[in-house]
Amino acid sequence: MGFFRKNPLKRDLQKILGPSGLLTEKADVICYGFDSSGYERFPSFVVLPETIEQVSKVVALCNDLGVPVTPRGAGSATTGATVPEEGGVVICFSRMNRIIKIDPVELTATVQPGVVTGYLQKEVEKQGLFYPPDPASLAFCTIGGNVATGAGGPRAVKYGVTRDYVRSLKVVLADGSVIETGAGTAKGVVGYDITRLFVGSEGTLGVVVEVVLRLVPRPQAVGTLAGLFPSVESCVESVSLLFSSGYLPRCAEFLDEKCLGAVSASMPMKIDAESKAFLLVEMDGDELSVRQQLQMAKRCLQDAGALSIFEPKSQEQRQEIWKVRRGLSPALKGLGFDSKVSEDVCVPRRAIKEMLEYLYSLEMGRPVRIFCFGHIGDGNLHVNLLFNRMELEKDELASLVGNIMKKAVELGGTISGEHGIGLAKKDYIDIELTDRLLALEQALKKVFDPKGIFNPGKIFKG
């Protein structure tokens, strides 16, 4: 009882959440102190709310005491966005995981933040609907996390990213009050677009506790092609031809030679020894349209000089290819290097070839191997630097990453296409944003979070 009197935060949190809704022991909270980035910092407490009211009371309490609050989904972020940099309280939404409503007339789904993205997709598809955003971690990442980071995925080239599907939000602000942003209609232009401000804000402005998502009708058919190319240049050329053909693929995914070599044994197709690049293309629509689109896609790949083109003969083969593609990043960790840094720069399609050439030039004379894959259809390249810690100085690594960011911006791109900033990229944010823009964003942060309790240490320097 003495400890409870000395620690009013613990005592009051337990009153709000009950004994099963609060984790306090180091062995229990330790797994909430890291994500897929490699950063680690452990919270003092982890709360597991089941209601919006509980979240509201927790946030108000922490704000009164000046205690940091870090919202957390599944911890699949790659930038340290969910790492509690200054300790404090982590709010984990694993128990707020209900699909509240799927509305086939309004074409919306109302969900709690802990709903797993892949589960939502399956549920809406049962009703002939479609939720397009599909991050690689969709089997375990959550809608709340997707909203916080502005997640994308392979289908973004045709359908857009998470922000394009968020119609409205319920958000707990720093004082514990709950606001509802957006409208219950397909159209709405009253006041500032606060909804989009929260999407991608990485939990630094408020805590999202409910999301209304836009849905679209499920496509009748999907067609898939995979092409192998004798060079990166010919692969990039096939993408240019494809986008000039008048058809828009729903996915256009790229693997370079090194990535292809890392997963070739798992592919359900023969990999030619001279293959230097791989392209996975999907088209969707009605049955007749998909057949026409695939024919056009084949011609584009052939005209660009594809060595071979593989068309899956079954849904199982198609899923096999996607399993390999989605598992590529973890597969790279098994290549014998003790360190891996992943970046997700995005450039205009016309600049993809130049960006790739620049990336590969960075290997020369350095103890680092660069593996590139990603959503080539929208210029979003996942750049993976593999190295051994004892062979690459921290300053040299920081310089390499900085040069990659600078090149992306120089080519008209961005330092992050879908992963956000978090801890990993905050030192590079001024490469893209001017001092004036940064000042405006930091001023917005103070409006929503005067005491700075929400996910401190993220996005901005200092």
Side-chain angles (χ1 to χ4, degrees), residues 30 34 67 96 139 172-173 182 186 190 228 233 235 237 262 277 304 308 317 326 337 416:
I30 196 168
F34 57 87
V67 174
M96 292 180 67
V172 175
L173 298 181
V190 179
L228 295 168
E233 290 78 10
C235 183
E237 174 63 16
S308 61
Q317 282 188 334
R326 293 190 189 281
F337 298 90
S416 180

Side-chain angles (χ1 to χ4, degrees), residues 71 201-206 445 448-449 454-456 458-460:
S201 64
E202 301 183 22
T204 60
L205 302 178
K445 163 74 170 168
F448 284 92
D449 182 20
F454 285 137
N455 215 2
K458 309 300 164 53
I459 301 180
F460 305 111

Side-chain angles (χ1 to χ4, degrees), residues 221-248:
V222 179
T224 306
L225 292 176
L228 295 168
F229 293 85
S231 65
V232 167
E233 290 78 10
S234 58
C235 183
V236 173
E237 174 63 16
S238 73
V239 175
S240 298
L241 292 174
L242 186 59
F243 278 84
S244 301
S245 70
Y247 292 99
L248 183 61

Side-chain angles (χ1 to χ4, degrees), residues 16-331:
I16 295 168
L17 297 147
S20 67
L22 177 65
L23 304 179
T24 62
E25 299 299 323
K26 183 177 180 181
D28 294 324
V29 305
I30 196 168
C31 60
Y32 296 88
F34 57 87
D35 59 15
S36 295
S37 65
Y39 290 95
E40 291 183 1
R41 183 67 184 267
F42 305 119
S44 300
F45 304 114
V46 175
V47 299
L48 303 165
E50 298 181 17
T51 67
I52 292 174
E53 183 183 12
Q54 287 179 331
V55 177
S56 172
K57 288 180 177 179
V58 168
V59 170
L61 174 64
C62 289
N63 190 57
D64 287 344
L65 298 175
V67 174
V69 173
T70 303
R72 181 181 176 91
S76 58
T78 62
T79 62
T82 60
V83 174
E85 177 69 356
E86 296 184 16
V89 172
V90 163
I91 302 179
C92 176
F93 286 98
S94 58
R95 295 181 182 177
M96 292 180 67
N97 61 358
R98 288 192 306 113
I99 297 175
I100 297 168
K101 182 181 181 182
I102 296 172
D103 191 328
V105 175
E106 298 298 333
L107 295 179
T108 59
T110 304
V111 305
Q112 293 183 315
V115 170
V116 172
T117 306
Y119 172 70
L120 173 66
Q121 290 175 335
K122 290 175 183 176
E123 291 302 301
V124 301
E125 286 175 14
K126 290 176 183 177
Q127 299 193 33
L129 300 173
F130 187 42
Y131 178 66
D134 61 332
S137 55
L138 62 84
F140 50 89
C141 69
T142 63
I143 294 297
N146 293 173
V147 171
T149 58
R155 295 196 292 243
V157 63
K158 180 174 182 178
Y159 290 103
V161 294
T162 300
R163 69 165 178 261
D164 301 306
Y165 293 87
V166 178
R167 180 174 286 184
S168 63
L169 297 169
K170 283 185 182 177
V171 182
V172 175
L173 298 181
D175 62 0
S177 61
V178 181
I179 61 168
E180 295 187 39
T181 73
T185 54
K187 294 179 180 178
V189 289
V190 179
Y192 298 128
D193 193 347
I194 300 297
T195 302
R196 286 173 77 91
L197 180 61
F198 278 105
V199 179
S201 64
E202 301 183 22
T204 60
L205 302 178
V207 180
V208 173
V209 289
E210 190 171 293
V211 187
V212 178
L213 296 167
R214 180 173 71 91
L215 306 175
V216 296
R218 183 182 181 183
Q220 293 177 12
V222 179
T224 306
L225 292 176
L228 295 168
F229 293 85
S231 65
V232 167
E233 290 78 10
S234 58
C235 183
V236 173
E237 174 63 16
S238 73
V239 175
S240 298
L241 292 174
L242 186 59
F243 278 84
S244 301
S245 70
Y247 292 99
L248 183 61
R250 84 170 189 169
C251 303
E253 296 290 293
F254 163 76
L255 276 65
D256 71 6
E257 181 182 10
K258 293 193 284 289
C259 289
L260 186 59
V263 296
S264 59
S266 304
M267 284 286 191
M269 57 188 287
K270 183 178 182 299
I271 307 298
D272 302 312
E274 59 269 39
S275 298
K276 305 297 182 186
F278 169 91
L279 181 68
L280 175 62
V281 175
E282 280 198 343
M283 320 296 282
D284 66 7
D286 61 57
E287 295 281 358
L288 177 59
S289 171
V290 168
R291 286 198 294 270
Q292 292 171 340
Q293 291 180 70
L294 286 179
Q295 288 173 2
M296 176 60 74
K298 281 182 185 177
R299 284 200 292 272
C300 292
L301 271 60
Q302 289 165 345
D303 290 348
L307 297 169
S308 61
I309 297 173
F310 174 76
E311 188 171 355
K313 299 295 187 292
S314 66
Q315 182 68 8
E316 288 71 27
Q317 282 188 334
R318 177 177 171 267
Q319 289 175 344
E320 252 185 285
I321 292 178
W322 274 109
K323 183 178 179 181
V324 172
R325 165 61 189 90
R326 293 190 189 281
L328 181 53
S329 186

